[in-house]
Amino acid sequence: MKKEFDILVIGSGLGGLVSALVLAKEGLKVCVLEKNNQYGGNLQTFSRDKLIFDTGVHYLGGLSEGQNLHRYFSYLGIMDDLQLQQMDPDGYDRITFGDDQTEYPHAQGYGNFVEQLARHFPEERENLENYCEEIQRVCSQFPRYNLVGKDHYNEEVLHLNTKRFIESITPNRKLQSVLLGSNFLYAGDSENVPFFVHALTVNSYIQSAYKCVKGGSQISKLLIKRLREHGAEVHKHSEVSEFIFNDGNVLTGVRTKAGKEYFAEKFISNIEIRSAIRLIGENRLKKSFLNRIRSWEPVSSCFSVYLVLKPRTVQNFNYNLYHFSSEESVWNAYRHRKDAWPETYMLSSTQSKHNPDFAESLTAISYMDFEEVNEWQDTFNTVADGHDRGGDYETFKLEKAEKMIAALEKKIPDLRTSIKRIYTSSPLSYRDYIGSADGNMYGYMKSSENPLKTMVSPRTKIDNLFLTGQSVNMHGILGCTIGAFNTCAEILGKEVIDERLIQLINKIKGEK
C-alpha cells in the first residue's frame, strides 16, 4: 500500500524532531526517517563500560524558568521530564592559558559573571558590564530569540565583527582572550566570525548552564515519545537515497536504500544541505544558489578522547575547562599546528553515581582537520552499517589519545594511572554518525563581511520542500530549535506559530 503523510521529515537531528513535533501538535500526519541506529543527530550518546558518553551536546543554556529554551521545551512538552544538573554558578566554564594555573571563570547570571571576572580584573568592571549589556542587546535583535516579537534580521547587528567588538570593549589582551575562551562552541574563528554568533552562543549559558544527566539523548527520546503520542511515525535504519518527482517535476515522495517508498504533501530536510542538494538534483536548482553553497567552508572537525576512570581516583568538577596553549591562540584556535597538537582542548567530567565527589569519566575534545583522516575517507563505520577501518587507523587514534593524555596530565598529574579504558572518535566518526560535511561540528563558517552568504531560507525552489538544521543558519540546541520554529512558520504561517507561543507565555504567566 502507498503510505501517505502530510509531512515527511528526513533526518532526526534536533531541528527535524522539533519541526516534526510542532507540526504533529497541529494535527498533521507526520513521519520522520533516520538513517542511523540512533535518533538525534548531535544529541546521540554511546555507552562504554556501562557509562554514557555524549558525542555533541555536553551542556545546555537558557533552561531556567522564564528563559527562552525553557519556554520552547515547555511548548514541546519535554521540559518537566528532563533530568538536569545545574553547573557551578560561579564558573560553569573556566578558561586557562599555557602554564598559568589561574582558572578564569564564566559565571551564571550577568551580575555574577561581572563579579567573578572583576576579581581577576578589578579595573575592568565597567568594561565587563558593557560587554554583558551588548551581548543582551544583540540577542534581543534576533527573530524568535525571545519567542515572539521581531520577525526579521537587523543588518547592522549581522555585520558586527567579534574581534573588532571585543577589542573595542577592553584593551586588556588577557581579558579579551578570557571573554573569547569558550569559542570552541562555534569553532574558534574569532577574527572573522560575526559577533552575533558569539553573543547568541554565550548568552544562553550566562543565563543558566546545565548538564543532561544520562546524556543529551534524553532530549531526542522525549521528543520521539511526544511525537508518537501525537500519532507520528518515526523510523530508523531508513536512509533516504532518492527523491521521487512526478511528471510535472513536483516532489511527491522518497525512496530509501532498502527500497521502501514514502509519499507526502510536504517535506522537511534536516540533513546536511549538500546531501539534500544531491537528492534534489542540481538541474532543479539555480546555478547561483549552487555556487553559493559550494563556496561555503565547513567549520573544523574534532577529535575526542573518552576516558573511563578507576573508582575514586579523580576529583569531580562541575564545570568545563577550556585550555589554550597561549592567550594569542584563542583568536583562531582551529588553525592548529599538527606538531603541537593539542594546542587547545575542552575538558569535562561526569560525576560518579556511587562516589559523588569523584568523576567516573572524562571527555576531552580538540580541533582536527579532516585531511588528517583522508587516507580512510572511503571507509564507513556506524552501528547500523559497520566496517573496520583497519589497524593503521587504530594506531593513529591511539597516538592522538596518548598526546591528549600527556597534555591533560599538566592539569591532572598522574592521570594515566587513574585510567581504566580509553575510547576515541575522529572526524570520520562525526561524518558517519552526524552526516556533516568533513565531519564538521557546527555547519559552515560565518563571516561578518558577508553574514547573509551562509543564511538560507527554510523555503526552497521546490515548492513543497523546506530546510532546517544546523547547516542552514544557527547551530546549537537553541539555534536549531529556533530554526525549526522558523521552518514551521513557513509551513503553517507565522501568525499560527506566534499565536501558539503567545498562548504559552500567557499560560506560564497565569500559573505564577
Side-chain angles (χ1 to χ4, degrees):
M1 274 177 63
K2 186 174 171 182
K3 269 211 151 177
E4 292 199 12
F5 299 90
D6 296 315
I7 305 285
L8 187 72
V9 180
I10 303 152
S12 72
L14 181 65
L17 292 177
V18 171
S19 300
L21 183 50
V22 170
L23 298 168
K25 277 166 67 75
E26 294 297 319
L28 296 174
K29 194 175 174 188
V30 177
C31 177
V32 181
L33 300 179
E34 167 57 48
K35 71 168 185 170
N36 279 324
N37 182 56
Q38 191 180 150
Y39 301 110
N42 267 318
L43 294 168
Q44 290 177 72
T45 55
F46 64 92
S47 176
R48 296 288 184 274
D49 295 72
K50 297 181 180 173
L51 304 182
I52 292 171
F53 291 93
D54 277 298
T55 56
V57 175
H58 299 280
Y59 60 142
L60 305 166
L63 273 179
S64 287
E65 197 171 335
Q67 293 169 1
N68 51 11
L69 195 58
H70 184 285
R71 287 180 166 181
Y72 277 119
F73 279 6
S74 296
Y75 177 78
L76 297 168
I78 67 170
M79 189 62 228
D80 292 344
D81 292 327
L82 284 175
Q83 294 181 53
L84 302 168
Q85 176 193 355
Q86 188 156 16
M87 298 174 75
D88 188 338
D90 293 334
Y92 62 91
D93 282 345
R94 303 196 183 184
I95 319 302
T96 63
F97 307 102
D99 297 326
D100 182 354
Q101 292 305 302
T102 308
E103 295 182 348
Y104 298 94
H106 289 187
Q108 297 180 52
Y110 275 101
N112 195 26
F113 184 91
V114 171
E115 206 55 50
Q116 297 301 327
L117 280 179
R119 293 179 182 181
H120 297 278
F121 303 95
E123 70 293 346
E124 295 284 340
R125 181 180 288 274
E126 189 180 340
N127 291 337
L128 284 164
E129 287 169 351
N130 291 340
Y131 168 80
C132 291
E133 204 174 289
E134 188 65 6
I135 291 258
Q136 293 170 89
R137 184 187 80 83
V138 167
C139 289
S140 72
Q141 299 294 307
F142 270 76
R144 298 212 180 281
Y145 198 79
N146 296 314
L147 279 74
V148 290
K150 289 192 70 66
D151 62 358
H152 61 277
Y153 290 105
N154 178 325
E155 282 266 0
E156 173 226 339
V157 165
L158 292 181
H159 284 277
L160 268 177
N161 173 272
T162 301
K163 180 177 169 63
R164 287 194 291 273
F165 173 76
I166 295 289
E167 288 177 340
S168 75
I169 282 290
T170 173
N172 187 311
R173 293 295 288 176
K174 176 156 265 179
L175 179 56
Q176 290 173 8
S177 296
V178 168
L179 294 175
L180 291 169
S182 60
N183 62 7
F184 195 86
L185 293 167
Y186 51 87
D189 180 14
S190 294
E191 291 192 336
N192 298 308
V193 79
F195 181 65
F196 77 81
V197 174
H198 175 88
L200 294 175
T201 302
V202 301
N203 178 62
S204 291
Y205 295 109
I206 297 175
Q207 286 182 336
S208 62
Y210 292 86
K211 281 186 177 181
C212 271
V213 180
K214 297 182 183 172
S217 62
Q218 63 172 299
I219 297 171
S220 49
K221 286 172 184 169
L222 284 169
L223 288 169
I224 285 162
K225 187 178 177 187
R226 298 290 172 267
L227 274 166
R228 288 184 168 139
E229 287 169 2
H230 283 89
E233 288 190 22
V234 189
H235 302 286
K236 55 186 178 181
H237 300 288
S238 299
E239 181 173 356
V240 172
S241 58
E242 191 182 341
F243 278 180
I244 301 168
F245 291 86
N246 67 12
D247 293 340
N249 223 13
V250 175
L251 179 60
T252 59
V254 302
R255 190 173 290 115
T256 68
K257 265 191 171 176
K260 283 191 176 179
E261 293 183 349
Y262 297 83
F263 297 88
E265 290 292 317
K266 292 184 172 71
F267 300 79
I268 297 175
S269 170
N270 181 221
I271 59 176
E272 217 285 326
I273 189 165
R274 290 177 181 174
S275 301
I277 285 170
R278 281 194 292 274
L279 291 171
I280 295 165
E282 293 187 0
N283 59 314
R284 291 190 173 90
L285 297 166
K286 283 187 176 177
K287 277 243 171 24
S288 56
F289 176 75
L290 292 171
N291 289 335
R292 179 154 70 102
I293 305 300
R294 287 188 191 117
S295 72
W296 292 1
E297 186 186 341
V299 304
S300 182
S301 188
C302 61
F303 187 89
S304 301
V305 178
Y306 310 95
L307 303 175
V308 178
L309 301 171
K310 295 172 185 171
R312 303 173 67 90
T313 56
V314 175
Q315 288 286 319
N316 185 55
F317 48 96
N318 192 23
Y319 55 87
N320 301 306
L321 186 71
Y322 289 93
H323 179 75
F324 298 86
S325 58
S326 67
E327 291 165 34
E328 293 71 36
S329 67
V330 174
W331 291 93
N332 45 28
Y334 73 100
R335 291 196 185 104
H336 58 278
R337 295 171 298 152
K338 292 188 193 69
D339 59 340
W341 191 91
E343 288 189 273
T344 181
Y345 59 77
M346 172 193 173
L347 178 67
S348 61
S349 76
T350 303
Q351 186 179 40
S352 167
K353 291 180 282 291
H354 308 296
N355 303 293
D357 290 339
F358 293 90
E360 62 184 16
S361 68
L362 298 176
T363 298
I365 313 171
S366 188
Y367 295 107
M368 181 176 282
D369 293 331
F370 191 80
E371 66 184 43
E372 285 205 57
V373 292
N374 260 349
E375 63 183 282
W376 304 286
Q377 66 176 328
D378 294 330
T379 64
F380 189 87
N381 185 29
T382 64
V383 172
D385 188 9
H387 300 279
D388 191 354
R389 300 197 207 271
D392 288 349
Y393 178 68
E394 295 306 318
T395 302
F396 165 81
K397 292 202 298 178
L398 195 58
E399 286 171 358
K400 289 291 183 184
E402 286 297 319
K403 285 184 178 179
M404 178 65 84
I405 292 164
L408 295 177
E409 285 202 306
K410 292 174 183 173
K411 293 284 176 199
I412 309 171
D414 303 319
L415 171 62
R416 206 174 295 272
T417 62
S418 304
I419 297 170
K420 184 178 169 189
R421 277 198 187 82
I422 302 168
Y423 300 97
T424 58
S425 61
S426 80
L428 291 169
S429 318
Y430 287 88
R431 180 201 66 182
D432 293 355
Y433 279 95
I434 312 301
S436 55
D438 292 352
N440 75 70
M441 292 186 280
Y442 312 119
Y444 293 90
M445 292 275 195
K446 294 171 175 61
S447 168
S448 59
E449 295 300 307
N450 190 358
L452 296 175
K453 180 182 172 184
T454 49
M455 286 189 170
V456 175
S457 166
R459 194 176 280 279
T460 73
K461 294 299 172 196
I462 311 296
D463 281 346
N464 59 343
L465 174 64
F466 302 83
L467 304 173
T468 199
Q470 72 168 5
S471 72
V472 292
N473 299 324
M474 279 303 290
H475 68 277
I477 297 287
L478 181 61
C480 286
T481 299
I482 291 173
F485 275 82
N486 286 336
T487 299
C488 292
E490 292 289 340
I491 294 170
L492 297 170
K494 177 186 175 298
E495 302 74 19
V496 173
I497 293 295
D498 283 355
E499 187 184 329
R500 297 294 178 266
L501 293 173
I502 289 166
Q503 286 169 355
L504 169 76
I505 293 166
N506 291 338
K507 180 171 179 276
I508 291 168
K509 282 178 183 170
E511 287 171 354
K512 285 186 178 177

